[in-house]
Amino acid sequence: MSEFTGSTGPEGSAPSGFSFENVHRNAMIEQMQQQQSGAFHGLAGASASAGSSPGYLPMATKTGTTIVGLVYKDGVVLGADTRATGGSEVADKNCEKIHYLAPNIYCCGAGTAADTEKTTELISSQLELLRMNMGGTQSRVVTACTMLKRMLFRYQGQISAALVLGGVDATGPHVFQIYPHGSTGKLPYTTMGSGSLAAMSVFETGWTEGMSEAEAVDLVKRAILAGIFNDLGSGSNVDTCVIRTDGTTTLDRGAVQPNDVQPIRDSIRRSDILNMRPGTTAILKSEFTAAKRGGVTLADVTVTEMET
């Protein structure tokens, strides 16, 4: 990748075309990775002898993830697991992967946790501003899809956010899949993430056109559970979100908790010998001293005007 060298407009205006503003950052990260790898294998060579310290490459938190979405007779159902991983470690057992975009639009995110969170936050604020400019009219699902795909395409896949977008507007229910490099597809049902193959097998078997809400929610739950039990990057609980054509939405956190360990912990009987009961430690002295001058009051606070 080379830095943008296209022609610029008038003095002070930004260049048109693709945004390559992270080129130098990416080159620095690659250099840090090479230094770290050389120091690890004892091959630092001249750089180590010159006194330069080995680099450290930070590891992004990946969500691993199984996310799904489908269209049913009266709306859209989205689903996601709740495990976030950092390498081979589970970083969060109950992270939220179903993000709010608008009252009638929600989005599931897979990939780097920070990228999915901030990308959906940015588009959500832009949709809110657009609704205010349009007199409070309802946001269209295709508008959110266009905003997301344009932003992701601008960064050529460097933003690791794979999204399942679902919502209901004046034209009906819609589900879109959006890849990190900006390509999109409008489908009746879709899955994304590391557990997408297991979830897709459930959808291919059980999805039918004109499903009821109860059938659709049950199918989404079974698809996410397939990802949880067959993919190491997915786990913990199942979250669902139902967006209906009548304007109501239901976001159910922990709709299914197949790995709830609380009953197991409650069944363990621990010895009471090590519990410290009241009175075990003797109180040698107890004394209370009131603050001088009655404590701090507003008269002791100095208020200064803020420079504007």
Side-chain angles (χ1 to χ4, degrees), residues 151-162:
M151 176 183 175
L152 294 175
F153 180 74
R154 187 189 314 156
Y155 289 94
Q156 293 291 286
Q158 297 299 320
I159 295 179
S160 178

Side-chain angles (χ1 to χ4, degrees), residues 6 20 32 100 139 162 165 212 237 268 271:
F20 294 129
M32 292 167 60
Y100 168 89
S139 297
L165 177 69
S212 65
N237 307 326
I268 299 175
S271 174

Side-chain angles (χ1 to χ4, degrees), residues 78-91:
L78 302 176
D81 70 301
T82 61
R83 172 180 290 181
T85 57
S88 59
E89 294 85 19
V90 177

Side-chain angles (χ1 to χ4, degrees), residues 5 59-60 62 83 101 115 131 145 182 196 204 213 216 266:
T5 56
M59 180 181 295
K62 301 272 186 175
R83 172 180 290 181
L101 289 184
D115 288 351
R131 287 196 298 274
C145 179
S196 60
E204 292 283 5
E213 179 177 325
D266 293 340

Side-chain angles (χ1 to χ4, degrees), residues 249-265:
T249 60
T250 302
L251 178 61
D252 190 358
R253 289 276 286 155
V256 182
Q257 299 182 11
N259 299 306
D260 188 12
V261 298
Q262 193 59 44
I264 300 176
R265 291 177 176 173

Side-chain angles (χ1 to χ4, degrees), residues 140-226:
R140 295 289 181 96
V141 183
V142 69
T143 304
C145 179
T146 302
M147 288 182 173
L148 287 166
K149 71 190 296 183
R150 285 179 177 175
M151 176 183 175
L152 294 175
F153 180 74
R154 187 189 314 156
Y155 289 94
Q156 293 291 286
Q158 297 299 320
I159 295 179
S160 178
L163 308 172
V164 172
L165 177 69
V168 177
D169 55 25
T171 60
H174 307 279
V175 167
F176 291 89
Q177 63 173 5
I178 307 173
Y179 285 92
H181 55 267
S183 68
T184 61
K186 185 177 185 297
L187 301 166
Y189 58 89
T190 185
T191 66
M192 296 193 81
S194 57
S196 60
L197 295 180
M200 181 57 75
S201 67
V202 176
F203 273 3
E204 292 283 5
T205 304
W207 186 86
T208 58
E209 192 172 357
M211 299 177 68
S212 65
E213 179 177 325
E215 293 172 338
V217 172
D218 179 69
L219 184 62
V220 165
K221 290 179 180 178
R222 289 194 288 115
I224 298 298
L225 288 174

